[in-house]
Amino acid sequence: MAVEINAKACIGCGICVDTCPVQALSLVDGVSVVDPKQCVDCGACVKVCPTNAITLDKPLAAQKKQPATPAEPAVKKAAPAAEGDYQGVWVFVEQMEGEAAPVSWELMGEGRKLADKLGVELAGVILGAQVEHLVPEAFAYGADKVYIIDDPVLARYRTEPYLHGLVKLIRQYRPEIVLMGATTLGRDLSGTVATELRTGLTADCTVLDINPETRLLEQTRPAFGGNIMATILCRTRRPQMATVRPRVMAMPPRQEGRSGQVIREELGLKEEEIQTKVLEYITAGAAGVYLDKAEIIVAGGRGVGAKNWPLLEELARVLGGTVGASRAAVEAGWASPAQQVGQTGYTVRPKVYFAVGISGAIQHLVGMQTSDTIVAINNDANAPIFKIADYGIVGDAAQILPALVENFKQQLA
Ligand code: FAD
C-alpha cells in the first residue's frame, strides 16, 4: 500500500475523505482510514492534509517539481511585475472586548505555512481600543510583524471604522494575501474590504496552499452545495483575500519569547464622521454563545420533534450550553441556520457534544466529530452516530431528555 496515515497526526477533519476522487478514504473513530483496494495512489489526500498526517511511499509526479527541503522557501520564481510590490501574508486578528477570537491564531498557524512557502513575512493586523496586549500574543502564535491601530473609535465593532482602518493599512503596506476568520464579524468586514479594494475574496476555505509556479494562493472550498471541492484563484487583483471558518485549521502551538517589528498607525477617523452609533451592548447568555466557541453543545435532529424541542433547550440551559441542530431540524424550522452544525453549517469542537435524535449523516459528522466527548441519544441502536459516540443512550428522546434535565438539575444544584 502506498498511502499511509499517521493516526496520531490525523485530526479527523475529513478533508482527505472529501478530496479523494475514488472514495478510498473514510473516517473511522475520528481517524482517516484508507482502503488499499480502492486507492489509486494519486496523492490528492497527501496534498490537502492540513497536518501532514498522510504520506505516499512513492514520489508523486507533482512532488518531484517541488524543492527537496521544506526549510527552503518553496517558491523562488519572482512575482509577476504587476503584483511585485505586494508582499507578505497578513492575518486579521479579530477581537471583541480585547479578547482575540481563537480563529485568528488558527489562521496565524496557516499563514505561517503560506509565508514560509513564499519566503515572505507573516504579519498580524490588530484593530481595536486598548488592544496592545494582543501584540505579544500575535508574535507567540507565529507573526514576524504586527500592524496595530489602537483607537477608542474602534472600541466596539462597526463596519465603517474597521473598513477604514484595514483598507488604510492594506493600501499603505500592500500585502499579497489577507486571511480572516469566517465569523460574523469576519464575514462582514472581509466582504466590504474586498469590495472597497476591488479584489477577490474566497469565503469559507477549507484548504489554502501556494502554487509553486505562479505564487498564487490556491483557495479550496466546497462548491455547488458541497458536492465538489473547488480551488479558486485570484489572478489579477491584490491582495488575495480568503476567510476560513473557526476550528477548520489546527491551533498552532504558542512559542513564548518570539518578538518582531511593531508598526503603529493612526485611524484618522473621528467619531463624528461615523454614521452608525452603538446605543447599547447586550451580551448573550450561555445559550446564545456562538456555536464555534461553545464548550457544551446540545444538538437536536429530526428525531427530537417540534414538541420535544423545548426539552432540548432546557437541557442546554441547565448545563450552561448552547443549542445546535442538524440541517433537518433547521429545515423543520425548530432552529435557526446559525445553529446548524455540519458541512454547510458550523464546524464545532466543544468539550461535550450531545447529539439527540440525529442519525449521523456524514455531512453532520464533519462538523462535530472532533468534539472531545460525544453523547448520542437515539431510538435506533444501529444509527451511524453511535459509531463515533463516546457514550450512547438508546431510547426515546421524549423520555430521556426530561430524565437528563432532572438529573443534572440535582447534580448541579
Ligand atoms: P434524520 O437523518 O432523519 O435522523 C433522525 C434520527 O432521529 C434517526 O437516527 C432516528 O433513529 C432518530 N429518532 C427518531 N425518533 C427519535 C426519538 N423519538 N428519540 C430519539 N431518536 C429518534 N446535515 C447537517 O446536519 N448539517 C449540514 O451542514 C448538512 N449539510 C449538507 C450538505 C449537503 C450538500 C447535503 C446533500 C446534505 C447536508 N446535510 C447536512 C443533510 C444530511 O445529509 C442529513 O440529511 C441530515 O443531517 C439529517 O438530519 P437528522 O440526523 O436530524 O435527521
Side-chain angles (χ1 to χ4, degrees):
M1 183 176 69
V3 164
E4 284 189 353
I5 297 170
N6 178 346
K8 284 189 184 152
C10 175
I11 55 170
C13 64
I15 292 169
C16 58
V17 177
D18 288 340
T19 304
C20 179
V22 291
Q23 287 82 47
L25 289 154
S26 56
L27 283 172
V28 177
D29 294 333
V31 174
S32 289
V33 175
V34 62
D35 178 352
K37 288 186 195 141
Q38 293 285 337
C39 181
V40 292
D41 301 339
C42 67
C45 53
V46 178
K47 199 166 175 239
V48 296
C49 177
T51 59
N52 300 323
I54 311 178
T55 49
L56 197 65
D57 69 7
K58 64 181 183 186
L60 288 171
Q63 282 176 338
K64 284 178 194 161
K65 292 187 209 154
Q66 293 175 2
T69 50
E72 287 174 31
V75 181
K76 290 181 180 159
K77 191 178 166 183
E83 295 129 28
D85 58 344
Y86 283 85
Q87 203 174 64
V89 178
W90 282 16
V91 173
F92 175 72
V93 179
E94 177 181 330
Q95 57 79 31
M96 192 177 282
E97 303 279 291
E99 193 186 331
V103 67
S104 309
W105 309 137
E106 292 161 15
L107 284 179
M108 202 67 90
E110 201 59 22
R112 181 74 269 163
K113 291 183 211 159
L114 301 176
D116 288 346
K117 285 185 179 177
L118 286 165
V120 298
E121 279 183 328
L122 171 68
V125 185
I126 303 171
L127 267 63
Q130 300 186 344
V131 285
E132 192 70 33
H133 60 282
L134 295 176
V135 172
E137 289 295 291
F139 288 131
Y141 281 106
D144 300 312
K145 192 186 264 185
V146 171
Y147 297 90
I148 180 168
I149 300 181
D150 199 321
D151 191 302
V153 170
L154 298 168
R156 299 239 193 265
Y157 177 75
R158 283 172 293 172
T159 310
E160 210 180 335
Y162 273 73
L163 168 69
H164 179 89
L166 190 51
V167 165
K168 179 182 168 176
L169 290 175
I170 291 173
R171 287 205 168 118
Q172 191 169 346
Y173 294 102
R174 301 165 83 81
E176 61 199 293
I177 292 172
V178 176
L179 306 179
M180 299 172 72
T183 58
T184 309
L185 187 158
R187 284 168 203 259
D188 181 63
L189 185 60
S190 59
T192 45
V193 168
T195 306
E196 180 72 20
L197 296 171
R198 305 282 190 273
T199 191
L201 164 70
T202 307
D204 295 353
C205 296
T206 51
V207 181
L208 295 171
D209 205 352
I210 298 294
N211 183 303
E213 296 298 319
T214 60
R215 291 176 68 90
L216 287 169
L217 177 65
E218 294 180 334
Q219 306 161 82
T220 303
R221 55 152 297 156
F224 295 108
N227 291 314
I228 62 158
M229 298 298 282
T231 297
I232 296 165
L233 306 176
C234 177
R235 290 176 193 273
T236 55
R237 305 294 300 184
R238 292 292 176 275
Q240 301 159 90
M241 292 184 64
T243 64
V244 178
R245 288 192 211 175
R247 315 273 174 134
V248 169
M249 305 297 181
M251 179 69 79
R254 273 179 62 94
Q255 297 172 57
E256 298 298 342
R258 285 186 86 258
S259 64
Q261 189 185 5
V262 183
I263 296 173
R264 293 182 175 79
E265 287 290 343
E266 302 291 325
L267 179 62
L269 194 65
K270 295 196 181 84
E271 183 60 47
E272 311 82 79
E273 297 173 82
I274 300 166
Q275 294 186 24
T276 47
K277 308 289 171 211
V278 178
L279 301 180
E280 195 183 356
Y281 189 74
I282 304 164
T283 45
V289 171
Y290 292 124
L291 275 180
D292 51 34
K293 290 185 187 150
E295 300 214 323
I296 299 175
I297 294 176
V298 181
R302 203 191 318 262
V304 173
K307 193 171 150 222
N308 298 317
W309 198 261
L311 288 172
L312 186 93
E313 292 175 332
E314 173 73 349
L315 179 60
R317 198 187 57 73
V318 169
L319 292 172
T322 301
V323 176
S326 73
R327 187 156 108 173
V330 172
E331 283 172 351
W334 309 329
S336 75
Q339 292 173 298
Q340 184 176 316
V341 175
Q343 185 179 316
T344 41
Y346 280 93
T347 303
V348 300
R349 208 176 279 185
K351 289 193 175 142
V352 186
Y353 188 93
F354 286 85
V356 189
I358 293 177
S359 57
I362 184 66
Q363 294 89 355
H364 188 82
L365 300 187
V366 292
M368 46 64 75
Q369 64 197 349
T370 53
S371 304
D372 290 354
T373 302
I374 296 169
V375 183
I377 300 166
N378 200 300
N379 65 0
D380 175 4
N382 296 316
I385 191 77
F386 287 125
K387 289 193 183 140
I388 62 150
D390 299 287
Y391 299 95
I393 305 174
V394 179
D396 185 354
Q399 292 177 347
I400 290 163
L401 282 171
L404 286 177
V405 168
E406 275 317 304
N407 200 288
F408 281 123
K409 266 188 189 166
Q410 282 171 19
Q411 288 191 43
L412 300 171

